[in-house]
Amino acid sequence: MFISMNWVREFVNLDGLDLEKLIRRFTLSTAEVEDIYYKGNDIKDVVVGQILSVENHPNSKKLHLLKVDVGSEVLDIVCGAPNVKVGMKTAVAKCGGRVPAGEINKATLAGYDSYGMCCSSAELGISDDNSGIWEITDDIAVGTDILDAYPIKDIIFEVDNKSITNRPDLWGHYGIAREFAAVTKRPLKDVEIFSDACDSGSVVPVTVMRDDLVYRYISLKISGVTKTVSPMAMQIRLYYCGMRGINLLADLTNYVMLELGQPMHAFDARKIDTIKIGTPDKPFKFKTLDDVERDIDENTLMIYNNDTPVAVAGIMGGLDSEIVGTTDSVVLESANFDGVSVRKTSSRLALRTDASMRYEKILDPELTMTATRRFVKLLKDIDPECYIDSKLNDVYVKHYPVITLTFDKKYVDRYTGIEISNEQILETLNSLGFDASFDGEKFTVVVPSWRATKDVTIKADIIEEITRIYGYDNFKIVTTRSPLKPVRAEVCKDEDYRLKDLLVDKFNLHEVHSYIWCDGKKYKKLGIDVEDNVRILNIATAENGTVRNSMIPTLLSMTYENKSYAPAFGIFEIGRVADGTADNGYCIERKRLGITLFDKTVSEKELYFKMLAMVKFLFKSIKKAEPTLAKVEVRHNWQHPKNTAEITYDSKNCGYICTLHPTVNQKIDKNASIVCAEIDLDEFYLTKVCDIEFDEPSKFPSIDVDLSLIVSEGQRYADIKKCWETLNLSELKSDSVIDTFELAGVKSITVRLSFSSNDRTLSMEEIQEQTDKILENLKTIGVTLKV
């Protein structure tokens, strides 16, 4: 949100203060300031000029030769604007002057010398209108410096919206001015409002059909509006704060919103008879002011003229009731709606406006009356001929309770740890709008309505108000003395950290972080289906509405996005997935470790075995044992129908390893091998940790025997391994698969068996005897030696 210091200074006198330092202090006391912009400092020697004559350029269809009176002289200027005319006043940058785009010097255009430039308002940085030169209609003397004629010089600072989410009172300049008044200990001026009674004419009827969603609604009819364009000073202020000028009535609603934080809407009175506020009985289409047709459902709060919808409550008006050039009477709306309802509707329609952002923060219903009378005051100042044409109709449905808090000085001292005088406490709270008093023993504080909707509700909130205005930078730094007791880490967190350390330190993988929902557009690009699962309600983008049931598609999307940065890499994430819903309606949330390896330099088989070794290493490092793998049916369309294996340990299904379906692999990178693994950490945590067994290494040489075995389809290595494990051969120290091969339907694997003894060097006869026993056992399960 952009804040104008010129605007703030209308409500608090900041003369003699360093405004930049004051803005920096605002970060410490109130909200984070992201940046400061100095408007008008890059404008020099730009004056009000009057066009005396206009001639068409003989060599150009677009250019004109002008004589312009700038007060001290008459300048020859070549100008290409389409709206030039004799007698018109405009902004003229003289030679040697500056505009935001740079310095203005004498120039020759199509053979004619130009001694200055007639400027558009966009070229001066005060609007986005670049359709022609700025036509000045105000009664300003020729030759007047433009910086003296209009409030172009200003200091604008940008406040981080997230830092004022809990402060609905700070979404307008007056609330910001209150903060500056408290910090500087200077008085805050009242907002000037229309004070006359609004009791003439008939009332604009208002019927609230959803009193749980509408807290207050004020309607007022104003007629006899003759002006259509807002003053330039107002347009400049709106532009500096991120809005554009539209017309007088629309600009005034925006102006009051930026000033007080209260959104307003002006309907063309010719199209409003009776106002109703409620939700529809059935869905329908509705075209909003941005000329977009939107789907309205039964949960959307709407404003109706009789039974015809005219606005989405708290978000945007309808196209059919907008203010147009011939509008001379309006029905003014100043309302307070349920913030949660506005937020849900805004998300559902994917339509977030300045109004909806403010309603979401839970606004003060008392503000609606102030905003109404402020609007009338500003309008009558600009257009004195307009008049109130109805009684003010105020339907006040919900009153927030008055919050009164009491505490003593000891409570303040205990929370702050510093000595703040009673007088300073009272001065601070009263300057912020609280009604604070002290009876000699206790403080009694009545919270103002603009802070009572959700912000200040308990005594600790009052302490925050006192200390932030006192200044956190004024606190004396003192080391806290308190007992420090070690906290034993949970098993799951400890194992998470160990898994991450192993994957990063041992295997050089990169940790990534992602959202829990499926990104439908990215999935579609890779040929991955968004599988039916738990859906997120009221999500703005339909493609992202499904919660993921696997980590791997998310990692594959990241792999695709990063494939051009390295020929080989691996990524992993420990995250959450949803595995359907339980009987109580809650989603079954699971924690998973997902790993994806990408490599253009090795074959898919080599990468698969690398992933296998990685998974085994993780289990062996943490659980002190290796898992077993078995072929399973695939659950997802992106898994390879054959190269998918289930990871089992301690009789629990802990996950799987797989390569990708060829179509998915090709869409990511047809020249790369990609292998994935996913481990169910909730199951992993529950498995046992085996005891560590120590085996003294032999000082005698070991002997390796490689066996090429012909195996049947679907035969597991775990079953083959049992053929030598059941023999309890003490000299057999280790086994490993070193190769696999398949040709013409015949599948073989090469196994390396390592033999050694702690007391002697084994003879070949001993090795052969034990190998023969192993081969005999292998025959019983249909595994034979390849010859």
Side-chain angles (χ1 to χ4, degrees), residues 147-190:
L147 297 180
D148 296 330
Y150 293 99
I152 295 175
K153 293 198 75 168
D154 198 355
I155 298 176
I156 306 295
F157 66 94
E158 185 176 4
V159 177
D160 176 24
N161 287 352
K162 297 188 295 297
S163 64
I164 55 174
T165 297
N166 66 323
R167 291 289 305 272
D169 61 306
L170 294 184
W171 284 78
H173 280 72
Y174 193 69
I176 300 292
R178 184 185 294 113
E179 294 290 313
F180 280 117
V183 168
T184 60
K185 298 182 179 181
R186 296 190 175 188
L188 178 70
K189 301 174 186 177
D190 292 332

Side-chain angles (χ1 to χ4, degrees), residues 39 89 132 149 191 208 222 227 340 345 390 399 437 449 556 573 576 594 622 630 633 646 722 763:
K39 300 292 188 178
K89 287 183 181 179
V191 178
V208 174
I222 305 173
K227 302 287 181 66
V340 175
T345 299
S390 76
H399 291 263
S437 60
S449 60
L556 292 176
E573 181 183 9
R576 301 281 180 174
I622 296 174
E633 293 295 324
E646 180 182 76
K722 288 178 183 177
S763 65

Side-chain angles (χ1 to χ4, degrees), residues 555-568:
L555 296 179
L556 292 176
S557 299
M558 292 185 174
T559 301
Y560 176 79
E561 291 168 351
N562 290 278
K563 64 179 182 177
S564 59
Y565 295 108

Side-chain angles (χ1 to χ4, degrees), residues 167-409:
R167 291 289 305 272
D169 61 306
L170 294 184
W171 284 78
H173 280 72
Y174 193 69
I176 300 292
R178 184 185 294 113
E179 294 290 313
F180 280 117
V183 168
T184 60
K185 298 182 179 181
R186 296 190 175 188
L188 178 70
K189 301 174 186 177
D190 292 332
V191 178
E192 293 183 8
I193 60 174
F194 182 73
S195 56
D196 293 354
C198 301
D199 54 6
S200 62
S202 59
V203 72
V204 178
V206 174
T207 303
V208 174
M209 297 182 288
R210 288 292 302 270
D211 56 10
D212 58 327
L213 302 181
V214 183
Y215 297 164
R216 191 175 188 181
Y217 196 98
I218 293 176
S219 66
L220 182 68
K221 184 178 179 181
I222 305 173
S223 298
V225 180
T226 59
K227 302 287 181 66
T228 59
V229 180
S230 53
M232 196 63 201
M234 180 178 288
Q235 293 185 48
I236 292 171
R237 191 166 282 184
L238 288 172
Y239 182 71
Y240 283 175
C241 293
M243 308 197 82
R244 62 183 180 86
I246 303 172
N247 56 55
L248 174 60
L249 295 169
D251 290 353
L252 275 175
T253 60
N254 290 332
Y255 189 89
V256 173
M257 179 182 69
L258 292 178
E259 186 172 77
L260 300 179
Q262 171 64 48
M264 307 186 77
H265 190 72
F267 297 102
D268 190 325
R270 295 171 295 184
K271 302 174 182 178
I272 300 294
D273 299 317
T274 299
I275 294 175
K276 295 180 181 179
I277 312 103
T279 51
D281 296 327
K282 58 183 180 180
F284 64 92
K285 302 282 187 180
F286 180 69
K287 186 170 287 190
T288 47
L289 279 172
D290 54 358
D291 201 21
V292 175
E293 192 171 65
R294 303 184 184 276
D295 295 315
I296 305 299
D297 66 11
E298 298 89 338
N299 298 313
T300 304
L301 187 66
M302 299 292 295
I303 312 294
Y304 296 87
N305 173 39
N306 295 313
D307 296 321
T308 304
V310 292
V312 183
I315 299 177
M316 186 176 282
L319 191 63
D320 292 338
S321 61
E322 71 171 328
I323 302 298
V324 295
T326 58
T327 300
D328 62 357
S329 63
V330 295
V331 172
L332 185 64
E333 167 197 285
S334 182
N336 188 281
F337 304 110
D338 176 64
V340 175
S341 171
V342 172
R343 172 64 176 167
K344 288 182 177 179
T345 299
S346 175
S347 298
R348 190 163 55 246
L349 298 179
L351 179 62
R352 199 147 190 252
T353 62
D354 287 283
S356 69
M357 282 194 294
R358 285 165 171 80
Y359 279 121
E360 291 167 12
K361 308 306 181 288
I362 317 298
L363 296 177
D364 174 19
E366 295 294 323
L367 199 57
T368 55
M369 182 62 75
T370 305
T372 301
R373 291 189 171 276
R374 179 60 173 164
F375 180 97
V376 176
K377 163 69 174 170
L378 292 171
L379 180 57
K380 289 188 75 66
D381 286 347
I382 297 168
D383 190 355
E385 301 300 319
C386 70
Y387 58 92
I388 307 298
D389 199 19
S390 76
K391 294 178 182 178
L392 189 146
N393 193 1
D394 183 6
V395 181
Y396 206 150
V397 179
K398 176 180 177 178
H399 291 263
Y400 281 94
V402 176
I403 298 175
T404 302
L405 303 171
T406 60
F407 53 91
D408 55 21
K409 181 65 163 56

Side-chain angles (χ1 to χ4, degrees), residues 440-575:
E441 292 184 4
K442 290 184 177 294
F443 291 94
T444 301
V445 178
V446 179
V447 180
S449 60
W450 59 85
R451 300 294 299 275
T453 58
K454 69 171 184 176
D455 179 21
V456 178
T457 57
I458 58 176
K459 292 187 292 184
D461 296 331
I462 297 294
I463 301 300
E464 181 184 356
E465 297 302 302
I466 296 168
T467 53
R468 68 183 182 84
I469 299 300
Y470 177 82
Y472 296 120
D473 51 335
N474 293 324
F475 276 60
K476 185 179 179 181
I477 299 174
V478 179
T479 302
T480 301
R481 294 184 179 275
S482 57
L484 297 178
K485 299 178 181 179
V487 178
R488 184 179 295 277
E490 297 178 18
V491 172
C492 59
K493 289 186 177 180
D494 181 59
E495 292 189 351
D496 284 354
Y497 290 136
R498 294 174 66 190
L499 285 168
K500 291 180 181 182
D501 288 344
L502 290 170
L503 291 170
V504 173
D505 296 338
K506 176 72 176 177
F507 298 104
N508 296 322
L509 266 60
H510 303 276
E511 184 180 9
V512 297
H513 298 279
S514 63
Y515 295 116
I516 195 172
W517 55 78
C518 304
D519 192 320
K521 290 183 179 179
K522 293 181 180 179
Y523 283 22
K524 186 176 181 180
K525 187 181 292 185
L526 303 183
I528 297 174
D529 294 337
V530 176
E531 299 170 5
D532 188 35
N533 200 17
V534 178
R535 288 190 59 80
I536 301 170
L537 297 177
N538 301 325
I539 193 162
T541 309
E543 296 94 336
N544 298 347
T546 304
V547 178
R548 65 188 176 191
N549 59 10
S550 170
M551 300 290 297
I552 301 304
T554 305
L555 296 179
L556 292 176
S557 299
M558 292 185 174
T559 301
Y560 176 79
E561 291 168 351
N562 290 278
K563 64 179 182 177
S564 59
Y565 295 108
F569 62 87
I571 58 176
F572 74 92
E573 181 183 9
I574 292 177

Side-chain angles (χ1 to χ4, degrees), residues 710-713 741-748:
I710 297 177
V711 297
S712 304
E713 183 68 30
F741 184 74
E742 187 172 359
L743 181 66
V746 178
K747 185 176 182 180
S748 67

Side-chain angles (χ1 to χ4, degrees), residues 724-744:
W724 52 79
E725 287 181 337
T726 55
L727 295 174
N728 295 320
L729 302 174
S730 60
E731 289 83 8
L732 180 56
K733 301 300 181 182
S734 66
D735 62 272
S736 60
V737 177
I738 61 173
D739 194 19
T740 62
F741 184 74
E742 187 172 359
L743 181 66

Side-chain angles (χ1 to χ4, degrees), residues 648-701:
T648 304
Y649 172 69
D650 194 21
S651 302
K652 296 183 183 297
N653 176 15
C654 294
Y656 59 87
I657 298 175
C658 71
T659 58
L660 296 183
H661 193 284
T663 56
V664 177
N665 201 126
Q666 279 204 341
K667 288 187 177 182
I668 297 175
D669 194 316
K670 62 182 180 181
N671 298 318
S673 302
I674 304 172
V675 180
C676 308
E678 188 168 23
I679 297 174
D680 189 327
L681 294 181
D682 292 315
E683 294 292 339
F684 184 79
Y685 300 145
L686 298 175
T687 57
K688 68 181 180 181
V689 178
C690 296
D691 295 330
I692 300 176
E693 296 181 0
F694 295 93
D695 192 4
E696 181 184 355
S698 174
K699 61 183 179 181
F700 298 97

